[in-house]
Amino acid sequence: WSFAFRVSGDRQFLERAVQEMSAVAAFADWHPDHYLDVAEMTTGMAISYDWLFNDLSSSDRTVFRSAIIDKGIAQARLGHRTFRMTNNWNQVCIGGMVLGALAVEDDQPALASDLLKAAQKEVFTGLDAYRPDGVYPEGPAYWSYGTAYSILLIAALRGAKGTDWGVLAAPGFRRSAEFYAQSIGPSGKHFDFADGGEGQELPCAIVYLARELGQTAFLNSKRAMIRNKQGVADRFAPLSILWWPTDSKAGAASPRFSGQGPQPLAIWRSSWSDPNALWFGIKAGGAAHNHAHMDAGSFVLDMDGIRWARDLGSQDYNSLESRGIDLWNMKQGSSRWQVFRISADSHNTITVDNQPHSATGMASLRMEGENEALIDMTPVFLPGTLRKANRRARFANDFVQLDDELQGLNPSSKVRWAMTTDAEISIDGKQALLSVKGKRLKIRFEGEGMKLEVLDISAPRHDFDAANPNMRQLLVTGQPGPEGTWKLGTRFSRS
């Protein structure tokens, strides 16, 4: 409402904004037990108070300013426990409190000064997640959330103080924009590892950073969204409008991205501009991180505008917690790992003898040239399962090659290779042909003693699992040779 008034001058928008702000100011509190709520409410009130300041009545200014102080920033004058957290809570709570402090600084200079000092002291604690290469370990969806508040912080500090405290220059922070942009395939879907989803949003953070970096290609998918009237209702959409790059000159975006950190990954694309481009992403890492799944070695694939290899993404938290799932217990025996979408069984990876992956082991990724990545999956298998497990991915502009080799298995073990898809699948010997809307993907397997089959996973496995309509898995199963070695070569290409 504040934005609508500022661009139109129509006072009905001002009146509606004042009505909303008056209601918020009248709340008994902004839910300090869950401090994200305080930070988000303070953010909204601070921006609106600032944008409408010259048009508010004296009495409304007093009411709104008092609410920002009493229900928001006064609780964090000397800092707050959330400032010391290492995840997005740090970014959201510091960002919200700083915006609140800057909004009322003229009237409360001592309070604002104390809060700004406390925030500056801890601001880099939450930014460690971006080290070293910008791969946000909680996935693209949580990148959008936490990074938005860091960008709000940067923009507000630059405007009010002429500095951003060095936040934009924090290790990996700028490059995280490339991670986010590369995580979206030509299909318009994200590489939705961890507790995220395939669907896009319109995060103001990618708009601001694309402008800063001169990389307008990072906004290609957002232009397509806006043309389709998607994302324009995002709560920070007005900021995206204000920050949208106006310079048409931009450097060429790389067709590949790789990065380390808790969840290392590699992503390639044959083109930024071709909607039918081949695009492939694969990750290492694993379950031992916030919001993580048992998805070490998992991959996603786009071609001809279709997402062929899918990740089911997250399941609504309340639907699980209300059924007794101990969702935030990350130990090996936790019921968290029984949830199908979180378990190794749902992901495009390898399991042995129907066992879960290790809840503490994390796979590593090493680039071997620009278009080849080697993932050491050994740590994600439970002790005694095998001696060595490697997954190698090689990208070319017209195919992707995936090679798996497991060593030191018990000869009686059963190995399971899986790929989730909503495509129709037909099997012919060592080949699978996938089809969607008249388009086709050919998957050719090379190996001995393998069995190809299709498993319908649309129905929930347990009463706490969500349904997965029209989803199925292409499975390859087999046993190792007498020496305990199992190998599988997989090539994805157009039919």
Side-chain angles (χ1 to χ4, degrees), residues 412-432:
S412 64
S413 292
K414 181 179 180 181
V415 182
R416 177 184 185 268
W417 181 104
M419 181 185 122
T420 297
T421 185
D422 61 348
E424 295 296 328
I425 305 173
S426 62
I427 294 174
D428 181 13
K430 292 184 177 182
Q431 179 173 292

Side-chain angles (χ1 to χ4, degrees), residues 7-201:
V7 298
S8 71
D10 189 333
R11 292 190 68 84
Q12 68 174 331
F13 296 131
L14 171 64
E15 292 165 2
R16 180 56 186 270
V18 169
Q19 177 185 338
E20 297 286 352
M21 294 171 74
S22 297
V24 168
F27 290 170
D29 59 51
W30 293 344
H31 197 204
D33 289 344
H34 190 260
Y35 209 73
L36 284 179
D37 300 345
V38 177
E40 295 201 19
M41 196 70 84
T42 303
T43 299
M45 288 289 283
I47 293 174
S48 298
Y49 178 78
D50 181 65
W51 285 3
L52 299 178
F53 187 84
N54 292 330
D55 297 282
L56 294 173
S57 69
S58 176
S59 59
D60 283 337
R61 285 182 200 162
T62 299
V63 170
F64 301 155
R65 182 170 60 247
S66 296
I68 291 171
I69 294 168
D70 297 338
K71 297 179 173 67
I73 63 173
Q75 302 170 63
R77 178 168 192 155
L78 300 178
H80 190 270
R81 60 178 179 81
T82 56
F83 288 15
R84 299 185 295 275
M85 298 178 77
T86 58
N87 54 26
N88 60 61
W89 282 62
N90 166 282
Q91 297 170 273
V92 175
C93 295
I94 286 180
M97 293 300 98
V98 168
L99 262 64
L102 293 174
V104 303
E105 185 177 24
D106 289 347
D107 296 280
Q108 292 285 333
L111 170 60
S113 177
D114 288 346
L115 192 150
L116 292 173
K117 289 176 182 176
Q120 186 174 8
K121 180 182 177 182
E122 298 292 350
V123 70
F124 291 97
T125 302
L127 298 178
D128 280 347
Y130 296 84
R131 291 176 180 268
D133 304 309
V135 178
Y136 197 73
E138 295 176 6
Y142 278 97
W143 178 91
S144 299
Y145 181 51
T147 310
Y149 280 84
S150 290
I151 292 297
L152 285 167
L153 174 79
I154 290 168
L157 285 172
R158 283 180 166 185
K161 302 294 184 182
T163 177
D164 65 10
W165 292 346
V167 171
L168 192 62
F173 188 81
R174 276 191 179 93
R175 193 158 189 249
S176 74
E178 185 178 1
F179 153 72
Y180 176 86
Q182 295 275 18
S183 78
I184 304 168
S187 66
K189 295 180 171 62
H190 276 293
F191 186 173
D192 53 329
F193 65 90
D195 279 345
E198 289 180 334
Q200 283 193 69
E201 61 294 289

Side-chain angles (χ1 to χ4, degrees), residues 406 409-415 478-486:
L406 279 60
L409 290 159
N410 186 315
S412 64
S413 292
K414 181 179 180 181
V415 182
Q479 289 183 291
E483 74 286 358
T485 298
W486 185 86

Side-chain angles (χ1 to χ4, degrees), residues 106-353:
D106 289 347
D107 296 280
Q108 292 285 333
L111 170 60
S113 177
D114 288 346
L115 192 150
L116 292 173
K117 289 176 182 176
Q120 186 174 8
K121 180 182 177 182
E122 298 292 350
V123 70
F124 291 97
T125 302
L127 298 178
D128 280 347
Y130 296 84
R131 291 176 180 268
D133 304 309
V135 178
Y136 197 73
E138 295 176 6
Y142 278 97
W143 178 91
S144 299
Y145 181 51
T147 310
Y149 280 84
S150 290
I151 292 297
L152 285 167
L153 174 79
I154 290 168
L157 285 172
R158 283 180 166 185
K161 302 294 184 182
T163 177
D164 65 10
W165 292 346
V167 171
L168 192 62
F173 188 81
R174 276 191 179 93
R175 193 158 189 249
S176 74
E178 185 178 1
F179 153 72
Y180 176 86
Q182 295 275 18
S183 78
I184 304 168
S187 66
K189 295 180 171 62
H190 276 293
F191 186 173
D192 53 329
F193 65 90
D195 279 345
E198 289 180 334
Q200 283 193 69
E201 61 294 289
L202 182 61
C204 62
I206 191 62
V207 177
Y208 190 95
L209 288 169
R211 185 185 69 178
E212 287 289 313
L213 298 169
Q215 288 287 4
T216 56
F218 290 175
L219 300 179
N220 286 353
S221 63
K222 306 309 176 189
R223 291 187 182 91
M225 284 180 61
I226 293 168
R227 283 195 294 268
N228 294 325
K229 299 182 179 180
Q230 299 170 332
V232 292
D234 182 274
R235 58 181 171 172
F236 290 137
L239 295 175
S240 291
I241 294 170
L242 295 173
W243 294 339
W244 199 271
T246 57
D247 186 358
S248 60
K249 297 179 180 178
S254 173
R256 62 189 68 84
F257 175 86
S258 65
Q260 296 297 320
Q263 304 288 1
L265 55 75
I267 300 171
W268 299 271
R269 65 181 69 226
S270 59
S271 171
W272 275 98
S273 58
D274 182 2
N276 296 315
L278 179 62
W279 174 93
F280 182 80
I282 190 166
K283 72 179 294 293
H289 200 272
N290 299 328
H291 298 288
H293 291 194
M294 287 185 169
D295 60 0
S298 194
F299 62 89
V300 285
L301 184 146
D302 281 7
M303 188 182 69
D304 293 333
I306 302 294
R307 173 60 54 90
W308 298 95
R310 305 280 294 269
D311 188 307
L312 297 175
S314 64
Q315 182 173 335
D316 176 72
Y317 294 159
N318 183 63
S319 72
L320 296 168
E321 291 175 316
S322 63
R323 288 173 170 81
I325 298 298
D326 193 2
L327 194 57
W328 307 114
N329 179 351
M330 310 294 280
K331 295 180 180 179
Q332 188 69 45
S334 170
S335 55
R336 174 184 177 84
W337 310 121
Q338 297 174 21
V339 178
F340 181 64
R341 291 192 184 184
I342 299 176
S343 73
D345 285 351
S346 76
H347 291 96
N348 302 331
T349 188
I350 293 175
T351 56
V352 176
D353 292 332

